[in-house]
Amino acid sequence: MNDPRWASIDAFAEANRDAILRDVTRLCAVPSVEGTPEPGAPFGKGPRAALDKGLEIAAELGLDTHNADGYIGWAQTGPIADGQKFLSTITHVDVVPEGNGWDADPYTVRVRDGWILGRGVADDKGPGILCLYALKYLKDSGVTLRYPVRALLGTNEETHMQDVEYYAEHFAMPAFCFTPDAEFPVCNGEKGGFSGELVSPVLTDGVIVDFAGGVAKNAVPDRAFCVVKAPASAFDASEQVTVEDNGDGTVTLRGWGKSGHAAMPEGTVNAIGLLVNCLLDSGVCSPAETAYLKVLQRLHASTDGSTLGIAADDGLFTPLTIVGGTIEKKDGKLRQSFDCRYPTNTDCNKLSNAMTEVCGEAAALEDVSSRVPFYIPADSPAIRTLIDTYNEVTGESKEPFTMGGGTYARHFPFAVSFGPEHTDIPLPDFAGPMHGANEGANFEKMIEALKIYILALLRLQELEF
């Protein structure tokens, strides 16, 4: 590394290893799944408590802090005058529900073979701590900043991103922003999003007493159960579907799959889909139930949308993905949520029309929401600054990429996602992906990411915005 600032950056990051691990542990210890809104806590007590903890850590690091009515907060290197251009990072302190399959308490960070494990270590509390330490370096080093730097801490990224919408309505936007909430090197484009529910008619004469599964609409469920009025002998048990005779004329079917992020479903096994197939194979369901389950079977049969007639690939983004996230029986209806990420050669109208046709009279498409794809040219000076910094530090020769995940970047005029995950590093058997059980992050790569962020923020100071 030829940059004269590198020795100072490297020394700072290495000297703060223990402190970084301590603060990641402190922040991840706060359960912060979205909850019931309260005054000062628009997304529930958990996200607000995590925001408070994040700002507490930032203040201990000597940074100026601000809490914007519990919606979002930030730390910054110093005062930012009205109309002054500034740079920003944005991470989030809310998390998806812990789910099942953990080897230990999800909110107690563990260290094993160089990996840290716990809900939020990768998505996105660990990266949030890295940003705070990057700002600490910028402030403590005494370097003159052409653009002050603000580290935003959101509280509603995993569901509706109303936190950053609130910020955009009330506060100045940065000249450039990056979010450490994806994979390295640089993601300069995100697929569109299309989500909703497939809802059955009221099922009055069926055999399904209850059906539930999934912990988040944007995660592949690893567990699901269904209570059915039928003999146990009607179902074929397996490793992935167990059958329990309840002794009252009903059985409980349990599906055992493999969880993962909805945007990256490769290698996952959807527990709801396992039960749908089991129910259809048994032949015990009523005609209305059977018709509805056949719609769900087409949803779960592939993650590329091909069985729904919506597969799409534009050559710019990765192909379309779609998964079923949660299912419940409520008011006599079965409700299956879905999460679709789509490239530029389709749109929400085409997707809605195709899925409505699949539903026919057996199901209804409800609670639909969508977002369009976005893309920033890879030759933009700010993008080149990030990718060149990454390559110089790592010795690699990567180029920007596009992805299916949705981040805060799309909510800013000029923003991208920038690490710190590495898709080329396989997860060990004891660690899981973002949104999965035993969520893990490689600690050495986190320290490397901190160095990359500091150097990139310094080099961004040299650009015209």
Side-chain angles (χ1 to χ4, degrees):
M1 172 58 64
N2 296 323
D3 195 296
R5 297 165 292 195
W6 180 252
S8 172
I9 294 169
D10 183 62
F12 172 83
E14 295 299 328
N16 282 281
R17 282 174 168 270
D18 291 344
I20 291 167
L21 179 58
R22 176 200 67 206
D23 289 336
V24 171
T25 300
R26 291 168 64 195
L27 188 56
C28 289
V30 183
S32 51
V33 176
E34 183 178 14
T36 304
E38 296 184 7
F43 311 115
K45 291 181 178 179
R48 174 57 196 262
L51 177 61
D52 290 343
K53 180 59 67 174
L55 295 178
E56 175 187 318
I57 293 169
E60 292 171 0
L61 296 178
L63 303 171
D64 297 347
T65 63
H66 182 81
N67 185 331
D69 304 318
Y71 281 87
I72 196 168
W74 61 82
Q76 56 194 39
T77 51
I80 299 176
D82 289 345
Q84 183 179 11
K85 292 181 179 180
F86 64 96
L87 306 177
S88 180
T89 66
I90 182 167
T91 54
H92 61 91
V93 296
D94 61 311
V95 296
V96 297
E98 56 271 20
N100 305 296
W102 288 80
D103 294 338
D105 175 26
Y107 300 109
T108 300
V109 170
R110 299 168 283 141
V111 181
R112 181 174 175 184
D113 296 345
W115 290 74
I116 57 174
L117 309 173
R119 176 58 83 223
V121 295
D123 185 24
D124 195 27
K125 293 177 178 179
I129 294 297
L130 298 182
C131 290
L132 297 181
Y133 274 82
L135 265 63
K136 175 178 172 60
Y137 174 90
L138 295 176
K139 183 171 183 177
D140 292 355
S141 66
V143 64
T144 300
L145 297 176
R146 182 181 184 185
Y147 307 107
V149 184
R150 175 175 289 175
L152 290 158
L153 299 174
T155 59
N156 189 230
E157 193 272 349
E158 293 292 4
T159 53
H160 304 294
M161 297 197 188
Q162 293 173 350
D163 50 354
V164 75
E165 292 173 4
Y166 181 87
Y167 179 85
E169 291 173 5
H170 295 88
F171 303 99
M173 289 298 233
F176 178 68
C177 176
F178 66 76
T179 176
D181 190 18
E183 295 77 42
F184 273 132
V186 178
C187 176
N188 61 323
E190 297 178 7
K191 288 179 182 174
F194 177 67
S195 61
E197 292 184 327
L198 298 172
V199 184
S200 75
V202 174
L203 302 171
T204 54
D205 299 317
V207 299
I208 299 175
V209 178
D210 196 11
F211 202 155
V215 296
K217 295 180 179 180
N218 60 350
V220 178
D222 66 343
R223 298 187 188 186
F225 76 88
C226 184
V227 180
V228 187
K229 291 184 290 185
S233 59
F235 305 98
D236 293 327
S238 66
E239 280 190 16
Q240 293 186 311
V241 178
T242 57
V243 182
E244 304 168 11
D245 192 332
N246 298 323
D248 60 359
T250 68
V251 296
T252 298
L253 308 177
R254 298 188 186 277
W256 307 91
K258 183 177 181 181
S259 62
H261 198 296
M264 297 165 282
E266 297 83 2
T268 62
V269 178
N270 196 307
I272 298 171
L274 295 173
L275 294 186
V276 167
N277 289 337
C278 182
L279 288 167
L280 287 173
D281 289 344
S282 72
V284 301
C285 295
S286 70
E289 289 172 333
T290 298
Y292 175 72
L293 291 173
K294 285 183 177 179
V295 174
L296 298 195
Q297 189 176 51
R298 292 181 66 174
L299 168 67
H300 293 294
S302 66
T303 58
D304 66 358
S306 58
T307 48
L308 292 166
I310 60 172
D313 184 357
D314 63 358
L316 178 65
F317 290 91
T318 55
L320 176 148
T321 61
I322 185 168
V323 304
T326 61
I327 194 169
E328 65 174 345
K329 187 171 185 183
K330 185 177 181 181
D331 299 327
K333 297 181 179 181
L334 289 169
R335 311 184 71 93
Q336 166 75 72
S337 72
F338 63 88
D339 181 306
C340 176
R341 316 292 173 103
Y342 66 90
T344 59
N345 61 336
T346 189
D347 57 49
C348 60
N349 288 331
K350 293 178 182 177
L351 297 172
S352 181
N353 291 338
M355 291 186 67
T356 298
E357 184 175 346
V358 170
C359 288
E361 299 297 322
L365 194 62
E366 296 185 6
D367 296 330
V368 170
S369 63
S370 63
R371 61 178 185 269
V372 298
F374 92 94
Y375 180 77
I376 296 174
D379 59 358
S380 300
I383 310 307
R384 291 312 316 173
T385 296
L386 299 187
I387 193 69
D388 290 346
T389 300
Y390 173 84
N391 284 334
E392 287 180 41
V393 172
T394 63
E396 299 175 7
S397 56
K398 298 288 184 67
E399 288 295 326
F401 68 96
T402 60
M403 71 172 184
T407 72
Y408 283 130
R410 66 172 59 247
H411 290 266
F412 290 85
F414 190 21
V416 294
S417 55
F418 187 35
E421 290 289 295
H422 288 263
T423 56
D424 56 340
I425 298 178
L427 288 168
D429 292 341
F430 56 79
M434 293 186 292
H435 293 201
N438 299 318
E439 178 181 336
N442 184 292
F443 192 62
E444 289 299 321
K445 287 300 182 181
M446 291 182 70
I447 297 300
E448 181 183 73
L450 171 60
K451 300 172 187 179
I452 292 170
Y453 292 150
I454 294 171
L455 185 57
L457 288 168
L458 288 170
R459 290 177 169 179
L460 288 169
Q461 301 288 327
E462 302 162 5
L463 302 182
E464 292 288 342
F465 287 103

